[in-house]
Amino acid sequence: MSFLENLVGELDKKLKQIYQGGGPKAIAKHKEKGKLTARERIAVLLDDPEDFLEIGAFAAEGMYLEHGGCPSAGVVTGIGKVSGRLCVIVANDATVKAGAWFPMTGKKNLRAQEIAMENRLPIIYLVDSAGVYLPLQDEIFPDKEHFGRIFRNNAVMSSQGIIQIAAIMGSCVAGGAYLPIMSDEALIVEGTGSVFLAGPYLVRSAIGEVVDNETLGGAVTHSEISGVTDYKMKDDHECLQKIKSIMSKIGPFPLAGFNRVEPRSPIYEPDRIFSIFPADRTKPYDMYELLKWLVDADSMDEYKAGYGKTIITAYARIEGWAVGIVANQRLIVKTRKGEMQMGGVIYSDSADKAARFIMNCNQKKIPLVFLQDVTGFMVGSRSEQGGIIKDGAKMVNAVANSVVPKITIIIGNSYGAGNYAMCGKAYDPRFIFAWPTAQIAVMGGMQAAKTLLQIQITALEKEGKQIDKETEEHLLKEISERYNSQLSPYYAAARLWVDGIINPLDTRKVIAYCLAAANHNPEIKPFNVGIIQT
């Protein structure tokens, strides 16, 4: 078994654990109330439970351990088809701290709404939450990208004509009560669903009134007295079927019209990837081989093939969709002057070529796919004198101002400014995923550890301390272990620097799914890069 297959096995194992949510005991307690779990609700709602692109499965992984942890940030989000319509789905997982909102829960919900807005997809909320997790309220309540932004987004999406449907399937309290009521339509489940600004305990504390959940904000109250909700459902199954019925009657919306033809299988079989990608991330491999495995057969037209060889730029098709590919080449290649170039490094000519290609794709309304395995821009006096800063700025400018959808897959290294130039998270990719081989950081582990070691040794020597070889080795090991833990793709996914970690074998399917979602937004702004030095 190859090292990549081992990493995929580890990924599957971690996902199975995450799918358990709050664990067997919490799930059993949840079901005693007659409720389906968040993932069961999504499975019932979808046309095909297997056809679901999950976003943020590893959100909050390894975080909040002092609070008992928060698997998947206590909410399941993703994209799937409901009554034939591609939708964003957000389902609170009440088996995790009663669905309470941790800081990463808020970030994940906002990411789901961002996907709905960027791609003009309907969004369905399956609400079952105890509200803000009070011990961390200062990290989720008051700031611009915190809890309240969600309701602001409700209002903005409504003004943009983006459909929002909310099902109150459990608790929905305090500020969270605004989410379903600011949606287009709201459903509520009898016996389990409740929505109110203040629960019975707070009401009694504030005004002395003694009242139960149902009377205060249950299904009968809001469906027959207040008129707050639109549909009263007897259980989870009936509620989910009603949502499907509502979705089935939605009229057609215009599409972007990105070019697509009948898909063709790649030249290489899927399992070939296990022999292409090396176990040692410092060793070169041929990106052209990987592209033969990824793109539709005979669909690739390379742009400026003989120039700027450490970045490959090409028009191609993935599952029939026309795309512009920008990929780092990790082979050692020769320039016209006969000099050797380092694989994975962006040189001036490569940056110049990539910038021009990105502008061409915007001119032609072709979505961009970035395949990242980059260690950064070339450094040194020769590169500086050759204008690497200027050419790098051209590429960054083109990426930043690109108006066609951008999809980024981090397959290996993603270091420093290379992350930015190759459309890292800061450059607004519509979607960004990582392989289990990915590493994201300012620089590679060994370089960073040695740099940090020198800083620490200098500080200790200033204090008059003598550092022997054994102490130095111990410090290097300690620093390396700490830094390397932050290089992990799971560390990145936990913080939503990427939308998820995917099995390399699913790469074509994931990119095609993302392109299908992006095709639902017909509005593409005019492309303008402003001032670029030449």
Side-chain angles (χ1 to χ4, degrees):
M1 183 177 288
S2 73
F3 96 104
L4 187 51
E5 288 173 294
N6 285 329
L7 290 180
V8 169
E10 182 184 342
L11 170 63
D12 290 340
K13 184 178 178 181
K14 286 179 177 289
L15 283 171
K16 285 177 183 176
Q17 180 64 37
I18 280 173
Y19 294 161
Q20 290 297 307
K25 288 184 179 178
I27 290 173
K29 187 176 179 181
H30 183 83
K31 287 180 171 292
E32 284 174 7
K33 300 174 184 177
K35 300 197 291 185
L36 299 174
T37 65
R39 293 185 181 278
E40 287 172 339
R41 287 167 176 167
I42 291 173
V44 171
L45 183 63
L46 292 172
D47 297 347
D48 178 0
E50 300 298 318
D51 188 27
F52 181 62
L53 179 60
E54 185 163 356
I55 302 294
F58 287 103
E61 175 78 355
M63 300 172 69
Y64 312 123
L65 298 182
E66 68 276 24
H67 298 275
C70 188
S72 212
V75 62
V76 184
T77 61
I79 305 172
K81 284 186 178 179
V82 179
S83 298
R85 176 82 59 173
L86 210 58
C87 301
V88 174
I89 301 170
V90 178
N92 298 114
D93 186 350
T95 70
V96 179
K97 292 284 194 280
W101 288 59
F102 283 67
M104 284 306 302
T105 315
K107 187 172 183 178
K108 186 171 174 179
N109 274 265
L110 289 171
R111 176 61 182 142
Q113 289 184 320
E114 181 181 46
I115 289 171
M117 288 189 282
E118 285 184 333
N119 301 288
R120 298 193 68 82
L121 295 176
I123 183 166
I124 298 169
Y125 307 99
L126 306 180
V127 184
D128 193 345
S129 171
V132 167
Y133 184 65
L134 288 178
L136 298 175
Q137 65 85 27
D138 62 316
E139 297 180 39
I140 184 152
F141 170 67
D143 210 348
K144 180 179 178 180
E145 301 300 330
H146 283 177
F147 189 67
R149 185 79 173 181
I150 289 162
F151 318 129
R152 174 264 183 195
N153 287 349
N154 285 141
V156 170
M157 282 191 280
S158 183
S159 72
Q160 294 175 348
I162 296 171
I163 296 162
Q164 300 176 83
I165 296 173
I168 303 163
M169 310 181 82
S171 297
C172 184
V173 300
Y178 287 108
L179 185 147
I181 311 311
M182 292 185 74
S183 299
D184 300 337
E185 294 181 272
L187 304 85
I188 188 167
V189 177
E190 287 186 88
T192 57
S194 60
V195 54
F196 31 64
L197 292 180
Y201 294 118
L202 183 54
V203 167
R204 183 172 183 175
S205 174
I207 64 174
E209 181 183 0
V210 178
V211 62
D212 59 56
N213 265 16
E214 281 298 309
T215 304
L216 186 62
V220 172
T221 294
H222 287 310
S223 296
E224 300 177 11
I225 301 172
S226 72
V228 165
T229 54
D230 306 305
Y231 306 92
K232 182 177 68 173
M233 302 287 108
K234 68 179 181 181
D235 56 29
D236 281 9
H237 282 280
E238 186 180 72
C239 183
L240 296 165
Q241 292 303 321
K242 177 62 75 173
I243 294 173
K244 295 176 81 163
S245 179
I246 293 168
M247 291 298 301
S248 72
K249 299 174 179 66
I250 294 171
F253 285 81
L255 301 175
F258 297 125
N259 187 288
R260 193 182 193 191
V261 299
E262 189 68 25
R264 298 180 65 179
S265 297
I267 294 172
Y268 291 159
E269 292 296 313
D271 287 352
R272 181 71 175 270
I273 189 59
F274 297 125
S275 61
I276 295 173
F277 203 83
D280 185 345
R281 67 190 317 104
T282 65
K283 287 187 176 180
Y285 63 92
D286 193 348
M287 180 60 75
Y288 288 104
E289 292 290 289
L290 192 145
L291 291 175
K292 289 176 184 176
W293 165 85
L294 179 65
V295 306
D296 293 13
D298 303 320
S299 70
M300 200 166 100
D301 300 306
E302 188 173 359
Y303 175 82
K304 291 186 181 290
Y307 179 70
K309 291 184 177 181
T310 60
I311 288 183
I312 297 170
T313 51
Y315 304 106
R317 292 189 183 276
I318 296 177
E319 291 289 349
W321 291 99
V323 296
I325 291 175
V326 182
N328 301 113
Q329 173 61 301
R330 287 297 306 273
L331 273 183
I332 305 298
V333 296
K334 291 184 178 181
T335 68
R336 287 177 295 176
K337 297 179 181 178
E339 298 164 327
M340 302 301 285
Q341 290 190 336
M342 295 165 56
V345 178
I346 302 175
Y347 285 74
S348 285
D349 52 359
S350 301
D352 176 65
K353 175 176 79 170
R356 180 60 182 266
F357 179 73
I358 289 165
M359 289 189 276
N360 279 345
C361 287
N362 277 271
Q363 184 87 340
K364 297 174 181 178
K365 208 166 86 168
I366 299 175
L368 287 156
V369 173
F370 292 84
L371 302 176
Q372 280 200 22
D373 193 348
V374 58
T375 53
F377 285 91
M378 189 59 191
V379 296
S381 60
R382 180 177 295 182
S383 292
E384 297 293 356
Q385 291 167 13
I388 185 66
I389 294 176
K390 178 182 66 178
D391 291 318
K394 286 182 193 175
M395 184 176 176
V396 170
N397 192 319
V399 172
N401 286 296
S402 180
V403 295
V404 295
K406 298 171 291 191
I407 297 164
T408 300
I409 308 292
I410 303 174
I411 63 177
N413 302 322
S414 180
Y415 299 154
N419 170 280
Y420 301 156
M422 291 294 294
C423 198
K425 182 70 171 179
Y427 284 77
D428 297 323
R430 288 286 182 94
F431 299 92
I432 179 169
F433 289 91
W435 284 7
T437 48
Q439 288 189 350
I440 305 170
V442 170
M443 63 180 73
M446 186 52 66
Q447 301 97 309
K450 287 181 178 179
T451 302
L452 291 167
L453 175 64
Q454 289 306 312
I455 293 170
Q456 193 162 334
I457 287 174
T458 300
L460 290 170
E461 287 176 343
K462 283 182 178 179
E463 295 173 8
K465 297 178 181 178
Q466 294 298 315
I467 308 300
D468 57 29
K469 188 171 181 61
E470 185 179 342
T471 302
E472 185 175 324
E473 288 177 354
H474 175 75
L475 285 172
L476 180 60
K477 181 182 178 183
E478 188 179 82
I479 292 168
S480 297
E481 287 176 353
R482 183 173 67 249
Y483 193 87
N484 287 335
S485 70
Q486 297 174 358
L487 288 174
S488 164
Y490 297 101
Y491 188 91
R495 289 151 183 83
L496 288 178
W497 299 347
V498 295
D499 290 322
I501 303 172
I502 61 172
N503 184 335
L505 296 176
D506 293 332
T507 306
R508 273 173 57 86
K509 180 175 72 174
V510 167
I511 292 174
Y513 216 104
C514 294
L515 290 167
N519 195 43
H520 281 71
N521 187 352
E523 297 178 7
I524 298 180
K525 298 176 183 177
F527 178 61
N528 187 348
V529 294
I531 296 172
I532 293 184
Q533 292 189 27
T534 58

